Each structure stands twice: as C-alpha cells, then as structure tokens.
C-alpha cells in the first residue's frame, strides 16, 4: 500500500463520520500508519524536508485529536507544524491555521486555558491568508490562490471575524 493511498483512506474515514470519537481514534491509527509509511518511503530526506512532506498528515492528525477532545494536543501539534509555514504549501498552511484558531478559541473558552499564543498572533496568521481589502474585496476574503473548499473559506472568514471581535479590531465593511 502506498503512502498516498493510506493517507486518502484515513482522511476518507474522518470525513465519513465526523464527530464520532471511535472513528476518530480509528482514523488516528490509520493516519499514524500512513505517516510511518511515508517516513519510510522518504527516508533520504532531512528532518525539515520530511516534516514538510508529511505536513498534510500532521494537519489531519491534529484535526482528529480535536475531534476526539484532545484540543490541547491538537493546538500543540499545529503550532509545531506552523513553525515551518514558510516551507509549506499555502493550502496546508491555510487548513492548519483554520484548525489552530478553532483549537485555541476552544481552549481560551475553557476555564483551564494554558494557551501560550495570543488572539493577536492568531489574527495576524489569518490575515496573511486573506487578500488585502480592496474595492472588490471589502471583507478581506481568502486569497484566490488558495484551493479551499467553500466550507474552509467560510471557516477562515468566521475565524477571522471571531478573532477581530476578541481583539477589538472588528472592521466595518
């Protein structure tokens, strides 16, 4: 079985049963297996190159962690991944950022938040993914070069609005 096939099967399991903890745990196992397979197939790469190649798997693993209620683990995994954002493709960075914002907002609403990242820092990350405001793009919509699904587009814009609210930087259209 190839790395790509293992990854696609695992992500299909996540998509087929969102929010179901048992399926999330099964998907996590399949994603870990895909990660091991990918790492063994790419053993000639250095650690940074390997991390970049396996970034989509790590984004999905973080998503599964969040689905299973391991929000702090998800946020931590995404923070580590986003340290490589200059080397990652824009779509991976966008999805990781969307999930990271959701994880941090969830953590900040919990009574025992130990989140080390601020809403301002998260807003800066989201703003990097959005096109500058212009006469035709008043809302700072996601950049055209991002290949996001409509749901991901809405999540990015919703997270941006939430962060603007949290930082008292809401902008009028």
């Amino acid at each position: 079985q190839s790395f790509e096939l293992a990854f696609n099967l695992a992500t299909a399991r996540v998509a087929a049963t969102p929010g179901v903890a048992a399926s999330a745990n099964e998907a996590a196992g399949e994603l870990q297996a895909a990660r091991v397979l990918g790492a063994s197939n790419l053993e000639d790469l250095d650690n940074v190159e390997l991390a970049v190649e396996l970034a989509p798997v790590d984004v999905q693993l973080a998503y599964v962690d969040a689905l299973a209620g391991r929000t702090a683990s998800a946020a931590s995994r995404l923070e580590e991944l986003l340290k490589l954002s200059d080397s990652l493709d824009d779509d991976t960075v966008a999805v990781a950022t969307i999930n990271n914002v959701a994880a941090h907002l969830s953590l900040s609403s919990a009574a025992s938040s130990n989140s080390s990242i601020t809403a301002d820092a998260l807003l800066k990350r989201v703003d990097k993914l959005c096109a500058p405001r212009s006469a035709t793009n008043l809302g700072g919509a996601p950049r055209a070069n991002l290949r996001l699904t409509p749901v991901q587009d809405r999540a990015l814009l919703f997270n941006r609005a939430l962060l603007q609210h949290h930082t008292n930087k809401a902008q009028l259209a």
Side-chain angles (χ1 to χ4, degrees):
Q1 181 173 344
S2 74
F3 160 67
E4 290 84 5
L5 179 59
F7 175 69
N8 289 339
L9 288 172
T11 55
R13 179 179 301 277
V14 173
T17 54
V20 179
S23 293
N25 289 330
E26 288 175 20
E30 290 178 17
L31 285 165
Q32 287 290 3
R35 193 175 198 301
V36 168
L37 185 59
S40 68
N41 289 344
L42 302 168
E43 61 190 20
D44 57 328
L45 300 179
D46 67 35
N47 288 342
V48 172
E49 292 171 325
L50 183 61
V52 167
E53 289 297 320
L54 296 177
V57 177
D58 288 331
V59 170
Q60 286 298 312
L61 279 166
Y63 178 70
V64 168
D65 280 348
L67 285 178
R70 299 182 296 269
T71 310
S73 173
S76 175
R77 183 186 297 270
L78 290 165
E79 280 302 314
E80 286 302 311
L81 183 65
L82 287 168
K83 289 178 183 175
L84 302 172
S85 63
D86 289 342
S87 301
L88 300 173
D89 65 272
D90 288 343
D91 300 316
T92 299
V93 171
V95 173
T97 300
I98 292 166
N99 292 349
N100 194 28
V101 169
H104 280 287
L105 288 175
S106 175
L107 287 173
S108 71
S109 67
S112 62
S113 175
N114 292 327
S115 180
S116 62
I117 190 163
T118 66
D120 280 324
L122 289 170
L123 181 57
K124 285 179 186 176
R125 282 189 185 156
V126 170
D127 281 344
K128 281 184 183 180
L129 298 172
C130 294
R133 291 171 57 94
S134 67
T136 58
N137 180 18
L138 296 177
R143 293 189 324 235
N145 66 324
L146 295 176
R147 296 172 297 166
L148 300 176
T149 66
V151 171
Q152 291 168 328
D153 275 344
R154 285 192 302 272
L156 183 62
L157 292 174
F158 182 73
N159 285 344
R160 185 170 186 254
L162 278 175
L163 289 168
Q164 286 175 333
H165 173 74
H166 280 285
T167 58
N168 295 319
K169 294 181 181 177
Q171 300 171 355
L172 298 174

